[in-house]
């Protein structure tokens, strides 16, 4: 067991995935938006694992970019399936998901 506040490795998270074909499906906590999350810092705040793993493998995510799952499976943590793209490109790939849909739902006015 990892002590509270101890730094975990990428492997320790990827070992909690179920390998199905080419996707590595996270078996732990999932956010309300369907993305894998974990307490990386040990301070009680949760981090989106696909973003954290991308940064550990490929480096920082450019400002204005998001990490996209090329396999269209938000629970997949396979680094080979993660790609940094613009938010607009992410929405264009799948218009039924992403921030645009969330924003529409959150700003809909009740008449």
């Amino acid at each position: 067991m990892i002590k509270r506040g101890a730094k975990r490795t990428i492997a320790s998270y990827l070992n909690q995935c179920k390998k199905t074909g080419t996707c590595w499906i996270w078996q732990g906590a999932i956010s309300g938006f369907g993305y894998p999350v974990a307490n990386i810092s040990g301070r009680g705040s949760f981090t989106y694992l696909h973003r954290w793993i991308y940064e550990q493998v490929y480096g920082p995510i450019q400002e204005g970019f998001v990490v996209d799952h090329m396999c269209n499976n938000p629970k997949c943590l396979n680094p080979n399936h993660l790609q940094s793209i613009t938010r607009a490109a992410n929405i264009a790939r799948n218009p039924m998901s992403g921030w645009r849909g969330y924003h529409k739902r959150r700003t809909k006015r009740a008449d």
Side-chain angles (χ1 to χ4, degrees):
M1 178 164 187
I2 306 272
K3 291 182 183 177
R4 184 181 176 103
K7 189 162 188 161
R8 292 182 60 178
T9 64
I10 295 172
S12 68
Y13 289 105
L14 295 181
N15 285 337
Q16 294 182 53
C17 293
K18 180 179 180 183
K19 308 249 178 10
T20 59
T22 60
C23 286
W24 301 354
I25 309 302
W26 174 247
Q27 300 299 299
I30 301 293
S31 75
F33 294 107
Y35 293 100
V37 292
N39 183 358
I40 303 255
S41 68
R43 296 184 198 146
S45 60
F46 287 91
T47 300
Y48 285 109
L49 281 175
H50 65 291
R51 294 179 56 85
W52 183 79
I53 287 173
Y54 179 91
E55 289 181 328
Q56 300 305 305
V57 174
Y58 301 110
I61 301 165
Q62 243 181 313
E63 190 171 329
F65 281 63
V66 296
V67 176
D68 181 45
H69 294 83
M70 294 184 292
C71 58
N72 288 325
N73 186 341
K75 295 179 185 176
C76 179
L77 294 180
N78 183 342
N80 295 321
H81 291 191
L82 304 177
Q83 179 182 32
S84 177
I85 62 173
T86 65
R87 183 161 290 150
N90 191 25
I91 290 169
R93 282 188 181 177
N94 187 357
M96 296 307 291
S97 68
W99 290 100
R100 181 175 69 179
Y102 173 73
H103 181 71
K104 276 183 152 179
R105 285 192 304 275
R106 298 282 295 173
T107 59
K108 186 175 180 182
R109 213 181 272 189
D111 292 326

